[in-house]
Amino acid sequence: LSLNDSKVVYLAKESAEINALKVKIDEIKRMNATVDATNLSFERRKADLTARIARYEAEIARLEARREALIKDRDKVKTRVFVDETCAYCGQELPLDMQEKARAKFNESRTRDLEDIVTRGKNNNLEIERVKASIEDAKNELANIPMPSKKVDTTELEAELAKLQSSFVPFENTDDYARLVKEIEDLKATM
């Protein structure tokens, strides 16, 4: 019993430092796993925001092209000239009152077309501003993503653990073990 008790006390004493190092290493590895997960989350968020910004910039390019097309359409409508002063069937000049009706109809159509183009242009410009605001929001969000955290290196602790484990002397090789075994042998001899 004394031999077993001594062995338990010796192992508890000698393995306490080893076990403490193992616990510390395991805790650092768990923290590193959390850091990896957080960093991966940040990288995914960055990739998502970068892709979103690229989509917004493509949308801006499309809206700018649409704006240019609307400007060309507006210029075409503005350059339209009233030419219906003659009858389409016979080619004779129309009476003045019919010319005025046709001119009024032409001007009304031209004004309606211009108003329609201007309205579409304003809506397009509002959409451009909305997309630009979305780009700014995404860029601000991207700038606010924290830098990746660094992991704690465990190689020194693992080397220290390996050193402790290699220098661990089994209980059977200690003086205390030899003394207790000798006492047991002496007791057996007296029996």
Side-chain angles (χ1 to χ4, degrees):
L1 287 175
S2 179
L3 178 68
N4 285 337
D5 289 345
S6 293
K7 183 175 183 177
V8 168
V9 168
Y10 175 79
L11 290 176
K13 178 183 159 197
E14 293 296 317
S15 64
E17 194 174 354
I18 291 173
N19 289 338
L21 267 177
K22 284 181 179 179
V23 167
K24 191 172 184 178
I25 290 171
D26 287 343
E27 183 179 312
I28 290 172
K29 285 182 178 179
R30 278 193 301 277
M31 287 174 26
N32 284 345
T34 303
V35 166
D36 282 341
T38 304
N39 288 346
L40 181 62
S41 166
F42 290 158
E43 287 304 314
R44 285 182 179 157
R45 187 72 184 137
K46 280 182 183 179
D48 177 49
L49 287 170
T50 304
R52 188 184 310 170
I53 289 170
R55 284 193 311 270
Y56 287 150
E57 287 172 348
E59 180 72 9
I60 290 283
R62 186 187 67 77
L63 290 169
E64 288 292 338
R66 183 175 177 206
R67 182 175 184 274
E68 292 300 319
L70 287 171
I71 289 172
K72 287 179 183 175
D73 289 348
R74 182 199 64 195
D75 291 343
K76 284 180 189 176
V77 170
K78 280 185 174 183
T79 58
R80 283 195 310 208
V81 178
F82 178 71
V83 291
D84 292 334
E85 294 174 349
T86 59
C87 180
Y89 298 111
C90 64
Q92 290 184 0
E93 193 170 313
L94 292 172
L96 204 54
D97 62 330
M98 290 183 84
Q99 282 183 13
E100 290 303 320
K101 283 183 185 178
R103 186 181 307 279
K105 190 175 181 179
F106 168 79
N107 288 335
E108 183 182 314
S109 171
R110 184 174 161 213
T111 303
R112 197 174 336 109
D113 289 348
L114 281 174
E115 288 173 355
D116 181 51
I117 290 171
V118 168
T119 302
R120 287 188 290 155
K122 286 180 181 179
N123 290 338
N124 192 64
N125 289 342
L126 289 174
E127 187 67 15
I128 288 172
E129 292 305 315
R130 185 193 65 76
V131 174
K132 283 182 179 179
S134 296
I135 287 174
E136 284 305 311
D137 291 345
K139 284 182 178 179
N140 289 338
E141 194 175 337
L142 185 63
N144 290 331
I145 292 178
M147 295 299 290
S149 301
K150 295 191 183 224
K151 298 192 299 185
V152 177
D153 189 19
T154 59
T155 54
E156 289 180 17
L157 290 174
E158 289 171 348
E160 186 178 336
L161 177 64
K163 181 181 170 187
L164 282 174
Q165 287 174 332
S166 67
S167 67
F168 179 75
V169 177
F171 180 67
E172 290 76 15
N173 296 345
T174 63
D175 293 336
D176 200 26
Y177 177 79
R179 181 185 56 78
L180 288 171
V181 167
K182 186 177 179 310
E183 284 179 20
I184 291 171
E185 293 300 319
D186 291 344
L187 284 173
K188 282 183 183 178
T190 60
M191 290 173 82

